[in-house]
Amino acid sequence: MNDTLISLATIFSQLSLLAFGGGNTILPEMQRQVVDIHHWMTAQDFSAMFALAQAAPGPNMMIVTLVGWHVASWPGVLVTTLAKFGPSSLLTGVVLHLWLRFKDKPWRATIQAGLVPMTVGLVAASAALITEASAQTWGLAAIAAGCALVTFKSKIHPLWVLAAGALLGLSGIGQF
Amino acid sequence: MTTETVATGADLALTTPSTRELFTGFLALGLIGFGGVLPLARRMIVEQRRWLDGTQFTELLGLCQFLPGGNIINLSVAIGLHFRGIPGAIASLLGLIAAPSAIVIALGVLYQHFQHDAALNHMFAGLAAAASGLLISMALKMLVPLLKKPVPLIIAALFFIAIALLRLPLLPTMLVLAPLGVLITWKLPS
């Protein structure tokens, strides 16, 4: 196992255990690690990977697979996938029966409610950093703002919004 | 629908999935789950395949939301473990991520291959902008319920400032701010 794979394993197993409130909360830290610290890709590459992962079906953490692929091909995919999904899954298994035992305790609800602002703050930070990297021109910023507005105001399926964004990009509007 | 069918529907016996059924069930879920898998997961697990009743599903989901990791990822592990132990957990998790992993790598290869094609580059730039727009609206939707609660709002803002503006590392930030959030929620119940 070479240094890159060890770094990937370390980073993603840590992120796995920090992802309270779902995958999007750890995007800023993932970006900081793979772009700023390890220089495996640019911020634009990272946001492109995020976009590709959003366009694919399944759980929203498929960006992990892509980062592994980009950095170290198939061994990278294997290592990042195991590191990202392994530790949190082990923890789920360990906590499962304890949790069912304590399900009526009031402190459980307190902890749950106390972690809500953290989740909101982290998702907002993800949105800011991903947008900063992907909305580099006025045209692209307009696409991002338009998509945000449409999905905020309506229940339109996200896939239509992504398709519209891709088509608008293809038309060249994003270059202005 | 008559009351009789409703009653039989509610009392219909639950089925215990085999390891193979866990794999194929979550495989199907991974393939069709564009955008969000969770609503589709409930439909499959509670209504179609009847592995769990509604209450059991909600209870398990509560656990999964509390723990780190994607809700649906944790849910697949918990359900697999519940029915078939460790082999079941592995079958469910692999089923869920197999198809999306293959698809996302195929998209990545396409992107890498056509990275220098101007038209495709413009298309991917548009796609990335749209994806960031989706993330913005998700953040806004999560923010709305907090708007009338100043204390949670301030904690959320502290996280935003620490991570997005100051670019601080996540672990120390969480170790300081997460207990603070829980403590304040405990002392100041709204």
mmCIF file of all heavy atoms in Angstrom, chain B residues 104-128:
data_model
loop_
_atom_site.group_PDB
_atom_site.id
_atom_site.type_symbol
_atom_site.label_atom_id
_atom_site.label_comp_id
_atom_site.label_asym_id
_atom_site.label_seq_id
_atom_site.Cartn_x
_atom_site.Cartn_y
_atom_site.Cartn_z
ATOM 1 N N VAL B 104 -21.283 6.197 -11.651
ATOM 2 C CA VAL B 104 -20.538 7.432 -11.389
ATOM 3 C C VAL B 104 -19.111 7.333 -11.956
ATOM 4 O O VAL B 104 -18.561 8.318 -12.467
ATOM 5 C CB VAL B 104 -20.571 7.764 -9.879
ATOM 6 C CG1 VAL B 104 -19.453 7.101 -9.120
ATOM 7 C CG2 VAL B 104 -20.564 9.252 -9.642
ATOM 8 N N ILE B 105 -18.526 6.125 -11.918
ATOM 9 C CA ILE B 105 -17.197 5.964 -12.500
ATOM 10 C C ILE B 105 -17.272 6.117 -14.021
ATOM 11 O O ILE B 105 -16.424 6.778 -14.635
ATOM 12 C CB ILE B 105 -16.572 4.609 -12.104
ATOM 13 C CG1 ILE B 105 -16.217 4.626 -10.606
ATOM 14 C CG2 ILE B 105 -15.311 4.326 -12.919
ATOM 15 C CD1 ILE B 105 -15.775 3.299 -10.057
ATOM 16 N N ALA B 106 -18.318 5.561 -14.641
ATOM 17 C CA ALA B 106 -18.506 5.730 -16.084
ATOM 18 C C ALA B 106 -18.613 7.214 -16.437
ATOM 19 O O ALA B 106 -17.985 7.698 -17.395
ATOM 20 C CB ALA B 106 -19.749 4.977 -16.543
ATOM 21 N N LEU B 107 -19.364 7.978 -15.634
ATOM 22 C CA LEU B 107 -19.485 9.425 -15.868
ATOM 23 C C LEU B 107 -18.132 10.113 -15.698
ATOM 24 O O LEU B 107 -17.776 11.013 -16.467
ATOM 25 C CB LEU B 107 -20.500 10.034 -14.895
ATOM 26 C CG LEU B 107 -21.977 9.724 -15.133
ATOM 27 C CD1 LEU B 107 -22.830 10.267 -13.987
ATOM 28 C CD2 LEU B 107 -22.438 10.325 -16.454
ATOM 29 N N GLY B 108 -17.379 9.668 -14.691
ATOM 30 C CA GLY B 108 -16.058 10.248 -14.445
ATOM 31 C C GLY B 108 -15.105 10.008 -15.603
ATOM 32 O O GLY B 108 -14.338 10.886 -15.999
ATOM 33 N N VAL B 109 -15.165 8.787 -16.167
ATOM 34 C CA VAL B 109 -14.307 8.451 -17.308
ATOM 35 C C VAL B 109 -14.665 9.328 -18.496
ATOM 36 O O VAL B 109 -13.793 9.887 -19.172
ATOM 37 C CB VAL B 109 -14.448 6.950 -17.657
ATOM 38 C CG1 VAL B 109 -13.768 6.639 -18.980
ATOM 39 C CG2 VAL B 109 -13.856 6.092 -16.543
ATOM 40 N N LEU B 110 -15.981 9.485 -18.744
ATOM 41 C CA LEU B 110 -16.441 10.351 -19.839
ATOM 42 C C LEU B 110 -15.910 11.768 -19.648
ATOM 43 O O LEU B 110 -15.410 12.393 -20.572
ATOM 44 C CB LEU B 110 -17.970 10.402 -19.860
ATOM 45 C CG LEU B 110 -18.684 9.278 -20.594
ATOM 46 C CD1 LEU B 110 -20.190 9.451 -20.450
ATOM 47 C CD2 LEU B 110 -18.280 9.288 -22.061
ATOM 48 N N TYR B 111 -16.043 12.265 -18.408
ATOM 49 C CA TYR B 111 -15.608 13.629 -18.101
ATOM 50 C C TYR B 111 -14.120 13.802 -18.370
ATOM 51 O O TYR B 111 -13.688 14.759 -19.013
ATOM 52 C CB TYR B 111 -15.938 13.957 -16.650
ATOM 53 C CG TYR B 111 -15.423 15.293 -16.186
ATOM 54 C CD1 TYR B 111 -15.976 16.471 -16.669
ATOM 55 C CD2 TYR B 111 -14.368 15.372 -15.271
ATOM 56 C CE1 TYR B 111 -15.508 17.693 -16.255
ATOM 57 C CE2 TYR B 111 -13.894 16.602 -14.850
ATOM 58 C CZ TYR B 111 -14.458 17.755 -15.346
ATOM 59 O OH TYR B 111 -13.982 18.972 -14.933
ATOM 60 N N GLN B 112 -13.337 12.825 -17.898
ATOM 61 C CA GLN B 112 -11.883 12.887 -18.066
ATOM 62 C C GLN B 112 -11.511 12.870 -19.560
ATOM 63 O O GLN B 112 -10.644 13.606 -20.007
ATOM 64 C CB GLN B 112 -11.259 11.678 -17.376
ATOM 65 C CG GLN B 112 -9.971 11.989 -16.655
ATOM 66 C CD GLN B 112 -9.576 10.851 -15.737
ATOM 67 O OE1 GLN B 112 -9.990 9.701 -15.912
ATOM 68 N NE2 GLN B 112 -8.776 11.148 -14.741
ATOM 69 N N HIS B 113 -12.227 12.002 -20.301
ATOM 70 C CA HIS B 113 -11.937 11.811 -21.712
ATOM 71 C C HIS B 113 -12.230 13.065 -22.526
ATOM 72 O O HIS B 113 -11.503 13.410 -23.445
ATOM 73 C CB HIS B 113 -12.781 10.640 -22.221
ATOM 74 C CG HIS B 113 -12.278 10.051 -23.489
ATOM 75 N ND1 HIS B 113 -11.170 9.241 -23.539
ATOM 76 C CD2 HIS B 113 -12.723 10.165 -24.761
ATOM 77 C CE1 HIS B 113 -10.963 8.883 -24.782
ATOM 78 N NE2 HIS B 113 -11.878 9.421 -25.548
ATOM 79 N N PHE B 114 -13.341 13.730 -22.189
ATOM 80 C CA PHE B 114 -13.788 14.867 -22.993
ATOM 81 C C PHE B 114 -13.504 16.197 -22.326
ATOM 82 O O PHE B 114 -14.072 17.218 -22.688
ATOM 83 C CB PHE B 114 -15.286 14.744 -23.276
ATOM 84 C CG PHE B 114 -15.614 13.594 -24.165
ATOM 85 C CD1 PHE B 114 -16.200 12.458 -23.656
ATOM 86 C CD2 PHE B 114 -15.314 13.642 -25.528
ATOM 87 C CE1 PHE B 114 -16.505 11.393 -24.480
ATOM 88 C CE2 PHE B 114 -15.598 12.580 -26.352
ATOM 89 C CZ PHE B 114 -16.204 11.437 -25.824
ATOM 90 N N GLN B 115 -12.603 16.183 -21.337
ATOM 91 C CA GLN B 115 -12.320 17.375 -20.558
ATOM 92 C C GLN B 115 -11.877 18.551 -21.424
ATOM 93 O O GLN B 115 -12.117 19.698 -21.096
ATOM 94 C CB GLN B 115 -11.213 17.058 -19.557
ATOM 95 C CG GLN B 115 -11.406 17.704 -18.228
ATOM 96 C CD GLN B 115 -10.366 17.221 -17.241
ATOM 97 O OE1 GLN B 115 -9.482 16.440 -17.598
ATOM 98 N NE2 GLN B 115 -10.459 17.670 -16.023
ATOM 99 N N HIS B 116 -11.202 18.256 -22.559
ATOM 100 C CA HIS B 116 -10.650 19.331 -23.364
ATOM 101 C C HIS B 116 -11.529 19.670 -24.551
ATOM 102 O O HIS B 116 -11.176 20.497 -25.391
ATOM 103 C CB HIS B 116 -9.222 18.979 -23.789
ATOM 104 C CG HIS B 116 -8.352 18.713 -22.603
ATOM 105 N ND1 HIS B 116 -8.023 19.687 -21.679
ATOM 106 C CD2 HIS B 116 -7.811 17.570 -22.123
ATOM 107 C CE1 HIS B 116 -7.291 19.165 -20.711
ATOM 108 N NE2 HIS B 116 -7.152 17.873 -20.949
ATOM 109 N N ASP B 117 -12.692 19.017 -24.643
ATOM 110 C CA ASP B 117 -13.662 19.356 -25.665
ATOM 111 C C ASP B 117 -14.469 20.554 -25.168
ATOM 112 O O ASP B 117 -15.100 20.490 -24.112
ATOM 113 C CB ASP B 117 -14.567 18.134 -25.894
ATOM 114 C CG ASP B 117 -15.627 18.402 -26.936
ATOM 115 O OD1 ASP B 117 -16.620 19.097 -26.601
ATOM 116 O OD2 ASP B 117 -15.467 17.929 -28.053
ATOM 117 N N ALA B 118 -14.422 21.664 -25.916
ATOM 118 C CA ALA B 118 -15.012 22.920 -25.421
ATOM 119 C C ALA B 118 -16.495 22.771 -25.110
ATOM 120 O O ALA B 118 -16.951 23.166 -24.034
ATOM 121 C CB ALA B 118 -14.783 24.039 -26.434
ATOM 122 N N ALA B 119 -17.253 22.171 -26.041
ATOM 123 C CA ALA B 119 -18.704 22.074 -25.849
ATOM 124 C C ALA B 119 -19.023 21.274 -24.591
ATOM 125 O O ALA B 119 -19.864 21.671 -23.770
ATOM 126 C CB ALA B 119 -19.350 21.429 -27.070
ATOM 127 N N LEU B 120 -18.345 20.132 -24.434
ATOM 128 C CA LEU B 120 -18.623 19.302 -23.262
ATOM 129 C C LEU B 120 -18.195 19.979 -21.980
ATOM 130 O O LEU B 120 -18.837 19.847 -20.939
ATOM 131 C CB LEU B 120 -17.950 17.938 -23.406
ATOM 132 C CG LEU B 120 -19.021 16.893 -23.713
ATOM 133 C CD1 LEU B 120 -18.935 16.469 -25.142
ATOM 134 C CD2 LEU B 120 -18.959 15.743 -22.762
ATOM 135 N N ASN B 121 -17.091 20.721 -22.094
ATOM 136 C CA ASN B 121 -16.619 21.482 -20.948
ATOM 137 C C ASN B 121 -17.671 22.476 -20.489
ATOM 138 O O ASN B 121 -17.948 22.603 -19.292
ATOM 139 C CB ASN B 121 -15.356 22.243 -21.362
ATOM 140 C CG ASN B 121 -14.269 22.051 -20.351
ATOM 141 O OD1 ASN B 121 -14.557 21.777 -19.192
ATOM 142 N ND2 ASN B 121 -13.043 22.187 -20.774
ATOM 143 N N HIS B 122 -18.274 23.172 -21.471
ATOM 144 C CA HIS B 122 -19.335 24.132 -21.143
ATOM 145 C C HIS B 122 -20.519 23.426 -20.505
ATOM 146 O O HIS B 122 -21.126 23.925 -19.561
ATOM 147 C CB HIS B 122 -19.793 24.858 -22.404
ATOM 148 C CG HIS B 122 -18.732 25.736 -22.991
ATOM 149 N ND1 HIS B 122 -18.865 26.357 -24.211
ATOM 150 C CD2 HIS B 122 -17.508 26.076 -22.512
ATOM 151 C CE1 HIS B 122 -17.773 27.058 -24.457
ATOM 152 N NE2 HIS B 122 -16.932 26.905 -23.441
ATOM 153 N N MET B 123 -20.825 22.210 -21.024
ATOM 154 C CA MET B 123 -21.954 21.467 -20.489
ATOM 155 C C MET B 123 -21.694 21.074 -19.038
ATOM 156 O O MET B 123 -22.559 21.227 -18.184
ATOM 157 C CB MET B 123 -22.192 20.222 -21.340
ATOM 158 C CG MET B 123 -23.503 19.553 -21.046
ATOM 159 S SD MET B 123 -23.726 18.071 -22.044
ATOM 160 C CE MET B 123 -23.100 16.855 -20.926
ATOM 161 N N PHE B 124 -20.488 20.586 -18.769
ATOM 162 C CA PHE B 124 -20.163 20.176 -17.401
ATOM 163 C C PHE B 124 -20.135 21.381 -16.463
ATOM 164 O O PHE B 124 -20.526 21.277 -15.299
ATOM 165 C CB PHE B 124 -18.839 19.420 -17.348
ATOM 166 C CG PHE B 124 -18.985 17.966 -17.696
ATOM 167 C CD1 PHE B 124 -18.351 17.436 -18.807
ATOM 168 C CD2 PHE B 124 -19.760 17.121 -16.913
ATOM 169 C CE1 PHE B 124 -18.492 16.094 -19.131
ATOM 170 C CE2 PHE B 124 -19.912 15.785 -17.228
ATOM 171 C CZ PHE B 124 -19.270 15.261 -18.343
ATOM 172 N N ALA B 125 -19.701 22.538 -16.977
ATOM 173 C CA ALA B 125 -19.713 23.747 -16.149
ATOM 174 C C ALA B 125 -21.145 24.099 -15.761
ATOM 175 O O ALA B 125 -21.424 24.449 -14.606
ATOM 176 C CB ALA B 125 -19.049 24.905 -16.887
ATOM 177 N N GLY B 126 -22.067 23.971 -16.728
ATOM 178 C CA GLY B 126 -23.483 24.235 -16.456
ATOM 179 C C GLY B 126 -24.040 23.243 -15.455
ATOM 180 O O GLY B 126 -24.785 23.609 -14.537
ATOM 181 N N LEU B 127 -23.663 21.963 -15.635
ATOM 182 C CA LEU B 127 -24.116 20.909 -14.722
ATOM 183 C C LEU B 127 -23.630 21.200 -13.298
ATOM 184 O O LEU B 127 -24.391 21.081 -12.327
ATOM 185 C CB LEU B 127 -23.582 19.554 -15.204
ATOM 186 C CG LEU B 127 -23.943 18.320 -14.382
ATOM 187 C CD1 LEU B 127 -25.434 18.044 -14.458
ATOM 188 C CD2 LEU B 127 -23.166 17.100 -14.878
ATOM 189 N N ALA B 128 -22.367 21.604 -13.181
ATOM 190 C CA ALA B 128 -21.798 21.888 -11.860
ATOM 191 C C ALA B 128 -22.516 23.069 -11.216
ATOM 192 O O ALA B 128 -22.816 23.053 -10.018
ATOM 193 C CB ALA B 128 -20.303 22.165 -11.970
#
